[in-house]
Amino acid sequence: MSIDKRIVDDLVANEISFVTTVPCKQLAGVIDEIEAREEIFHIPSNKEDEGMGLCAGAWMGGKRPAIIMQNTAIGVTINTLATLIQYYRMPLPMLISYRGELREPVACQVEMAVHTKALLAQMNIPTYHFHKQADVEELDMILKYTFMCNKPVAILTDANFWGGYGDQ
Amino acid sequence: MIRSEILREIAPILRPHLVVCNIGLPSQELHMIDDQPTNFYMLGTMGLSSSIGLGLALSQPKTVISIDGDGSVLTNLGTLPTIANNVADNYILMIIDNGSYGSTGDQPTYAGKKTRLEKVAEACGCENVVVCQDVDTGKTLQAAIDSKKMTVIVVKCDSGNIKLPVITMDPVVIRDRFMKAVSA
């Protein structure tokens, strides 16, 4: 089974039915799979804080949401995480492409990568780092944990997890 | 009319519906005028009233009215293409356009200068965009609700604020009360 299908199977198994995405090359296969699944309403957003607003509304409407984004978005969404998702105590799984880690070809991506875990730690956001494909085994537990505690939870997936960037 | 006068007038129309209300004075005014469990008050996060309302409308069948401001929509302009391309006919975005950032001291917004939010909404693909004057807000809003078509209303009104207290209700209480009203 492809890793993309495996991830989306876990989302569906955990009754996640509303997913917003901001594009990412590493997550393109997951986004395609989400778009293809009837169980999931896929709503692309233009910016990640907007996407978190959509997720907040969906959750209050009775759906389990998730957001898919790059780690650069942590810089965009600190205020929304603090004053909406955390302040109103809402669950939000964040499947994050961790750019700027091992096997990264674009130097600028490292500039946000070095802040990513520190910012998440500062926000007291539970954070998991998938570095090898086998790490995906924890996704199901992480999703259950997120909806148990009603918190935003970060799942950082780096280039090594995705098998590198190919010829890029 | 200023925003608080409009809210006072439309409170009976809002009452049976789910309302997501913008940060700052709009939420404080609505809370003072007609606090209801069906009101979700934003205590922070400027710009996301329209996004929260859209997510809510797409996830359950009740009518959702997002009360937003011209300044807040300018903060989150990306919301308009998302709204246009994800039609929820139980959703109304009502932009109270007074041309100023009311909660921070009435500094002018670009919507109060050359920018026309109704044209922006149309250019983004929103199909039912209505502009009305403050005195016509009630009948315009009611017509939008009755139409059962996703509608963006731009209400042109005067800038100005009244003195009123901040909301001290705990955010988790606001959210829990609101979710119970949503599922009732």
Side-chain angles (χ1 to χ4, degrees):
Chain A
M1 186 190 299
S2 77
I3 193 73
D4 302 328
K5 189 170 183 310
R6 167 72 197 261
I7 287 171
V8 179
D9 280 351
D10 280 346
L11 299 182
V12 171
N14 282 278
E15 296 175 351
I16 289 169
S17 58
F18 185 101
V19 178
T20 190
T21 61
V22 176
C24 170
K25 196 171 183 177
Q26 289 186 136
L27 293 164
V30 174
I31 295 171
D32 285 346
E33 189 69 27
I34 284 167
E35 177 68 30
R37 294 292 181 103
E38 281 183 10
E39 302 96 325
I40 296 176
F41 181 79
H42 175 215
I43 179 164
S45 45
N46 296 305
K47 213 168 178 184
E48 296 83 356
D49 52 349
E50 179 206 357
M52 289 186 182
L54 293 166
C55 287
W59 187 63
M60 291 194 291
K63 288 195 169 183
R64 284 186 165 193
I67 187 167
I68 289 182
M69 63 191 201
Q70 290 195 357
N71 61 312
T72 48
I74 297 298
V76 175
T77 57
I78 293 281
N79 178 53
T80 302
L81 285 163
T83 66
L84 181 66
I85 306 300
Q86 291 181 322
Y87 199 40
Y88 289 86
R89 204 180 301 153
M90 298 176 172
L92 184 62
M94 302 184 287
L95 182 64
I96 300 169
S97 169
Y98 193 4
R99 297 296 306 264
E101 254 287 343
L102 299 186
R103 300 175 76 172
E104 170 66 55
V106 180
C108 186
Q109 295 286 359
V110 181
E111 297 304 312
M112 266 313 282
V114 297
H115 297 296
T116 297
K117 285 185 174 175
L119 288 168
L120 290 165
Q122 176 64 36
M123 299 292 289
N124 293 334
I125 291 175
T127 299
Y128 300 87
H129 182 169
F130 289 2
H131 182 59
K132 298 189 167 73
Q133 288 243 325
D135 295 337
V136 78
E137 294 292 333
E138 285 197 342
L139 180 60
D140 177 66
M141 286 187 284
I142 294 167
L143 295 173
K144 286 178 169 59
Y145 176 82
T146 305
F147 291 99
M148 175 275 294
C149 64
N150 284 355
K151 290 179 185 296
V153 172
I155 304 146
L156 300 169
T157 57
D158 66 25
N160 198 62
F161 172 79
W162 295 107
Y165 288 95
D167 297 332
Q168 186 183 329
Chain B
M1 295 170 79
I2 62 172
R3 182 190 52 248
S4 59
E5 294 169 321
I6 293 169
L7 290 176
R8 197 171 287 282
E9 193 165 292
I10 66 171
I13 301 171
L14 295 173
R15 199 171 298 144
H17 303 294
L18 302 176
V19 178
V20 177
C21 195
N22 190 23
I23 178 180
L25 292 173
S27 272
Q28 293 171 31
E29 289 165 357
L30 184 63
H31 176 259
M32 182 188 72
I33 291 164
D34 191 34
D35 180 35
Q36 295 290 328
T38 46
N39 295 345
F40 181 75
Y41 304 114
M42 292 183 66
L43 303 173
T45 339
M46 180 167 172
L48 293 190
S49 171
S50 59
S51 306
I52 296 169
L54 179 64
L56 179 63
L58 288 165
S59 300
Q60 55 76 53
K62 292 180 179 174
T63 298
V64 177
I65 301 160
S66 279
I67 299 176
D68 219 333
D70 52 306
S72 286
V73 170
L74 287 169
T75 294
N76 182 21
L77 264 186
T79 191
L80 292 170
T82 305
I83 291 167
N85 288 282
N86 294 277
V87 173
D89 282 329
N90 58 337
Y91 180 59
I92 294 167
L93 171 59
M94 188 172 75
I95 305 168
I96 310 274
D97 182 357
N98 60 9
S100 71
Y101 293 103
S103 296
T104 55
D106 278 333
Q107 296 88 350
T109 68
Y110 286 128
K113 296 184 172 178
K114 289 160 81 173
T115 304
R116 295 288 164 266
L117 288 175
E118 58 273 20
K119 291 192 174 177
V120 177
E122 284 170 357
C124 288
C126 295
E127 283 158 7
N128 305 296
V129 181
V130 183
V131 183
C132 77
Q133 282 302 313
D134 42 17
V135 293
D136 298 321
T137 309
K139 68 178 180 190
T140 306
L141 176 59
Q142 190 62 57
I145 294 166
D146 295 343
S147 76
K148 301 195 184 305
K149 290 284 176 198
M150 187 170 81
T151 307
V152 177
I153 304 173
V154 181
V155 180
K156 304 287 187 185
C157 68
D158 300 318
S159 63
N161 305 303
I162 55 173
K163 284 206 181 309
L164 75 177
V166 296
I167 298 172
T168 55
M169 206 187 315
D170 188 276
V172 180
V173 172
I174 294 172
R175 189 266 290 164
D176 186 61
R177 188 178 77 152
F178 184 71
M179 286 179 75
K180 284 177 177 138
V182 170
S183 62

